[in-house]
Amino acid sequence: MVLKTELCRFSGAKIYPGRGIRFVRSDSQVFLFANSKNKRYFHNRLKPAKIAWTAMYRKQHKKDIAQETVKKRHRSTKKPYSRSIVGATLEVIQKRRSEKPEVRDAAREAALREIKERIKKTKDEKKAKNSEVMARSTKNQSKGNFPKGGGANKGPKAAGGAKGKR
């Protein structure tokens, strides 16, 4: 059979059923004391942290640590394991890990060089295309640069001829 014990609000001592003094404050908060001494000290507004035999004092001054050893929880660390990633199998990853840094640097340099060459090639193609377009446009301009209206430009038309002669 399990007995429901409660703790004294002042001393921190266990209070078994049928023991202790219950005090209900005007704001309906309930306090339970182990004996009249604890009740008297509480009502005299003494601080339990300053009285040597209370649980709060012992806790604050690090007494009875051996008795209250609480097991520290330790989180189990996840052990790293290898698995393949999308786009790279496990063998490829292992091979890359095991290769020397010099080889890795050389491969990186080669890849960068190849990318730069590709960019340069596209720029050259664009330049050639632009020069071709420019050549065509200058060719078209040299043929004849006359407006479609026919003769020489007469200037702007006079608007509303009779406005000034009223």
Side-chain angles (χ1 to χ4, degrees):
M1 183 169 114
V2 178
L3 294 174
K4 188 185 177 202
T5 60
E6 299 188 58
L7 291 177
C8 175
R9 286 293 288 262
F10 188 80
S11 68
K14 281 184 182 178
I15 302 172
Y16 289 94
R19 303 278 174 172
I21 302 164
R22 193 176 300 270
F23 168 67
V24 182
R25 204 160 55 185
S26 60
D27 65 350
S28 64
Q29 191 172 0
V30 179
F31 297 93
L32 208 65
F33 303 108
N35 51 32
S36 59
K37 179 170 118 177
N38 292 339
K39 181 182 161 203
R40 191 169 63 243
Y41 283 174
F42 177 81
H43 285 302
N44 288 337
R45 293 201 166 99
L46 294 178
K47 292 190 170 90
K50 291 186 176 182
I51 297 171
W53 49 266
T54 61
M56 193 180 290
Y57 176 92
R58 296 188 72 74
K59 195 171 193 178
Q60 279 190 351
H61 292 83
K62 296 183 172 62
K63 311 287 184 189
D64 261 357
I65 293 174
Q67 196 174 19
E68 294 182 19
T69 53
V70 179
K71 286 186 180 177
K72 290 182 181 176
R73 289 183 183 177
H74 94 207
R75 193 175 288 166
S76 60
T77 56
K78 291 185 178 179
K79 293 175 184 169
Y81 60 96
S82 300
R83 62 178 172 188
S84 58
I85 305 169
V86 177
T89 60
L90 189 59
E91 293 82 32
V92 173
I93 293 170
Q94 292 292 341
K95 190 179 83 176
R96 289 229 177 116
R97 240 184 232 163
S98 63
E99 69 186 17
K100 291 182 177 156
E102 297 86 34
V103 176
R104 219 177 286 147
D105 290 341
R108 187 181 296 121
E109 290 295 323
L112 284 171
R113 217 175 303 118
E114 194 265 328
I115 290 169
K116 284 179 183 175
E117 286 174 10
R118 198 179 322 139
I119 291 170
K120 191 176 181 184
K121 185 178 175 184
T122 55
K123 278 187 179 178
D124 290 344
E125 285 177 0
K126 276 187 180 178
K127 271 188 182 177
K129 198 172 187 181
N130 282 345
S131 63
E132 193 177 302
V133 169
M134 290 298 284
R136 268 196 224 147
S137 65
T138 54
K139 197 176 186 182
N140 288 344
Q141 284 179 356
S142 64
K143 274 187 178 178
N145 201 4
F146 301 112
K148 287 186 178 177
N153 195 0
K154 295 177 187 172
K157 290 184 179 177
K163 256 190 179 179
K165 296 180 185 178
R166 276 197 189 225

